[in-house]
Amino acid sequence: MNKVSLNINGITVKADKGATILKAAQDAGIYIPTLCHCPDVSSIGVCRLCLVRIKNRRRFEPACRTIIEEGMVVVTDDPEIQRLRQVILELILSDHDFNCLLCPKSGQCRLQELVNRIGFNEHRFSRLEHVAKDLPIDTSNPFFDFNPNKCVQCTICVRTCHEITGNDAIDMAYRSYDLRVSTFADKPIKESVCVSCGECMERCPVGALIPKKVEHPTREVKTTCPYCGVGCGLYLGIRGNTIVRARGDDESPVNHGGLCVRGRFGYSFVNSPDRLSIPLMRAYDEYAKPSSVVEVTEEGRPITLPLVKRDGKFVEITWDQAIKYVASSLAHYKGDKIAAISSARCTNEENYLFQKFTRVVLKTNNIDHCARL
Amino acid sequence: MAGLAASFGSGAMTNSINEIREAACIFAIGTNTTANHPIIGRQVTRAVQKGAKLIVADPRRIPLCRLADIWLRLYPGTDIALINGIMRVIIEQNLMDTAFIEERCEDYEAFRASIMDNDLAVSEKITGVPAQDIVRAAKMLGSISPATVLYTLGITEHSHGTDNVRALANLALLTGNIGKPSTGVNPLRGQNNVQGACDMGALPNVYTGYQKVEDEEARRKFERAWNCKLSPSNGLKMTEMFEAAHEGKIKVLYLKGEDPIVTDADTSFIEKAISHLELFIVQDIFLTETARLADVVLPAAGFAEKDGTFTNTERRVQRVRKAIEPKGGSRPDWMIICDIAKSMGVEGFDFDNAQEIFEEIRALTPSYAGITYERIEKSGIQWPCPDDKHPGTPYLYSERFNTPSGRAKFAHVSYRPSAETTSHEYPFILITRRSAFHYHAVMTHKAEGFDELRKEERIEIHPADAATLEIQDGEVIKVSSRRGSVKAKTKITEVVPAGVVCMTFNFLETRTNILTSRAPDPVTKTPEFKVCAVKIEREESAYITKDYMRWGTGKI
């Protein structure tokens, strides 16, 4: 790869040909503030916070869109640039909701970070008429809300929806002060073509696109998604003994951090109250004793096992009873009278063990699973 | 999978997910990728944004059609006529990869002769695709490389599913699009570990790594390893099991983690077959519709509650890790199986953790031999991986095919109509599909939020058909096949062509699979989910409500 060398803030930096000033600076450990930049979608330079001074160019250039050249001399920070950035930030803040304490994004908000880094001139800011927007919040989607009052029009969500998912559910609509993110015909998100994958929410730098339930996990476990065959890598966020969130694993060679609606939001089934927790068995008399009694049920079918009441209700039993019952019952039937169906939802280890069990213990090759369905 | 195995030697995705975005031409047939494999759908989108050509073949106007250069709207079940038509044009216009065919393939001449028997006009008539579109698609596939074929159940869930796959394999061979990056014939698999379950030998005819039960050497190897005598004959396939149960030949069924009452074809028959069993054991995380019929139900732990590995659709073996303690008294499946085996006094089931089981798998499975938990700690490895220095295999057949001769076989495949065709009484074709917002019938309904996005079945019907039948949008109609009937609300849309209706099987209130046909593929015994003849009647008084009581209370 060809390298280009340039000078940033007096430091000589080498970077790959074709890289932007922002990338070269970040790789060299030089901070340039950004709001609309997101590494996995294209840069459009709308926030203007990354403006830098380049020697022999008449105007300031956005670092996220300017490709480096050999011998370029760049200044990322001086009093004039600082003043410029402060004014830009003040304009962004002029219609933003200031109630950070109640915002779930607080602490992870890029706007907060920028205010801390760049600061603003209180005197100048007080002369701006601060009008917080009062637009309706779109709560139609079951997984995330869109609060246009907190939106900074960085368009990361729009670019994500177009470039990452190819779904194009949202775009910028209206003009000037009314400019905002909108679905086709300004319908609620749920009625649009949105597939609820939440990629936009994941990338929103502020509190505009925010999950409905914000619970911060206390630890994370790296694992593989249990839904389709793609096998996306993900981190499950755990709090206590509950899964509170999932996020894509950026290092996974399969999904590179991306997830779909099922993979990102589909885990509350694990904690569903309907989960089975105790072995169940049809109620019948002496189930502990295997017997050779042949009885005829109402359907005219002989029963060779202990009196199992087919139409009976389930009763809860202990694991010991269940294992003993299954083991003793299976011992009555060997070979091709038995069939076993394994599961494409279980792990490799369990499938291996189940086919071994069928072949070794039950002495039959009648083992299959849903691959052909 | 049998189709791919017959042509190339192995039944698996030939290439990797990441290669799709580098392809110059993508042929997506019988796959609603953006709904069922969204992350792969994004790869397709990326490729198209970078300038790749996309050909979509599907009776429904799926979201991918919006990006496609050519959309071949074929009649359901006519895939072979379409593919053979495309191949005839490729041969006629001399666009095939002759060097590749001579070097790597066999049986070409016979295949060529059989393809030349297909008249393009006949293909047009059978498929309903204009001949000029077939020619355009053929020119694209014949001249742009690398080209990759993606398919899913729209190809396999037919009474001629194996032939469909072999036709696609022929196409890849003819254009030399296999054994190189971003090419290949790629089945995108539906369940998280369906590839792994096959690799592990949860099949009636093979042990792990597709070592054949009927092969004496393989059987001896497993007899030695497991220290027992093994049956030399192939077992029953799942669809045959239910038939045998129905006839009373199978007395006991031990079922783990499946819900055939909802997801299999012709579910009334399955239910009847289960009622003929003497003992029915079900192991699952929920009391599914199937588990309700069981004699014993064993509560299993879910994916987040146990360690292990899954193998994804691109053959990548990846770790699953225990994140939380098993819910209630549930136990991991492997532990339950070990306990039962030990209780029956059988040796060889003394495992303390999943890793010990994996070590045994490695020792017996050449394609997994080089994979260890340590090596896949960070990211998975794609089999075949024969030794612990091997980096894994992103794409198969770069040098030779897994056939005895090392060459790939062209297969002679010709069009057969679907097992069930329309009649005066049943004039519509029903296609089944999955919703983008649900998985099968349980997991996403148990997770919060998904039912808000799609709460009930909406049967898709073309406006012209709706007008003829005087059906309104949202009206409840009765759909009947030769096997049974269900009710559902309509959705009038041009997504489906006239004469075709489409339903999902995601909703327990509308058991779509009561309608579907068991007519199986002769090789794999896969039922024909995708084509079934139905009639539609108005049902003015009927309406459906969601029966929360059956699921919601947790009481039985």
Side-chain angles (χ1 to χ4, degrees), chain A residues 104-113 204-207 210 214 216 245:
Chain A
K105 195 77 177 185
S106 183
Q108 286 151 351
C109 175
R110 191 101 66 87
L111 196 58
Q112 274 182 341
E113 181 202 314
C204 180
V206 293
I210 203 91
V214 185
H216 296 293
R245 62 168 280 177

Side-chain angles (χ1 to χ4, degrees), chain B residues 178-238:
Chain B
I178 188 145
K180 300 164 201 162
S182 301
T183 63
V185 183
N186 297 302
L188 312 178
R189 311 211 66 172
Q191 281 99 352
N192 57 338
N193 200 30
V194 62
Q195 185 67 51
C198 293
D199 297 348
M200 289 303 107
L203 293 170
N205 60 335
V206 288
Y207 303 115
T208 64
Y210 308 96
Q211 303 173 71
K212 289 194 173 66
V213 164
E214 284 178 334
D215 176 9
E216 209 174 313
E217 213 173 299
R219 197 170 64 245
R220 289 238 177 84
K221 171 180 158 184
F222 281 89
E223 282 179 345
R224 272 198 304 279
W226 292 342
N227 196 21
C228 71
K229 194 100 184 81
L230 291 171
S231 163
S233 53
N234 288 342
L236 298 178
K237 301 186 177 82
M238 189 158 158

Side-chain angles (χ1 to χ4, degrees), chain B residues 6 20 29 64 82 87 135 235 261 324 365 373 426 429 478 541:
Chain B
I20 296 170
I29 179 164
L64 272 187
L82 176 73
M87 287 193 288
V135 173
I261 286 286
I324 53 175
T365 316
Y373 271 32
Y426 298 99
I429 293 280
K478 188 171 146 197
S541 57

Side-chain angles (χ1 to χ4, degrees), chain B residues 71-76 78 81-82 120-131 133-134 415 497:
Chain B
W71 171 32
L72 307 167
R73 183 174 224 176
L74 74 173
Y75 292 139
T78 60
L82 176 73
L120 203 56
V122 177
S123 285
E124 175 175 348
K125 196 153 176 261
I126 297 172
T127 60
V129 178
D133 284 351
I134 299 181
Y415 169 71

Side-chain angles (χ1 to χ4, degrees), chain B residues 473-493:
Chain B
D473 192 48
E475 181 180 340
V476 174
I477 54 167
K478 188 171 146 197
V479 189
S480 317
S481 76
R482 294 176 173 94
R483 289 156 293 277
S485 60
V486 297
K487 285 169 192 165
K489 274 190 188 167
T490 55
K491 182 179 183 184
I492 297 175
T493 166

Side-chain angles (χ1 to χ4, degrees), chain B residues 306-326:
Chain B
K306 60 192 179 188
D307 284 305
T309 54
F310 288 154
T311 304
N312 79 349
T313 183
E314 54 168 1
R315 300 170 273 105
R316 190 185 296 277
V317 183
Q318 308 192 98
R319 273 301 308 276
V320 190
R321 290 180 183 83
K322 181 173 168 175
I324 53 175
E325 288 303 318

Side-chain angles (χ1 to χ4, degrees), chain A residues 199 213 222 224 229-231 241 253 262 268 274 282 319 333 337 349 352 356 359 365 368 372, chain B residues 18 35 42 203 233 238 251 278 292 312-313 318-319 325 329 360 373 378 446 448 524 526 551:
Chain A
E199 292 292 347
K213 275 191 192 163
K222 184 183 162 117
T224 305
V230 176
N241 201 37
R262 290 168 283 228
S268 46
D274 298 349
R282 295 271 172 205
W319 270 107
Y333 305 88
K337 283 203 167 70
E349 289 76 3
Y352 170 79
K356 181 178 175 183
R359 292 184 159 120
N365 283 318
D368 204 357
R372 56 192 88 250
Chain B
N18 272 326
R42 286 181 199 169
L203 293 170
S233 53
M238 189 158 158
K251 309 269 188 210
E278 290 181 12
R292 282 165 190 281
N312 79 349
T313 183
Q318 308 192 98
R319 273 301 308 276
E325 288 303 318
E360 185 171 312
Y373 271 32
K378 280 199 106 167
K446 294 288 173 193
E448 288 158 27
T524 59
T526 300
W551 282 95

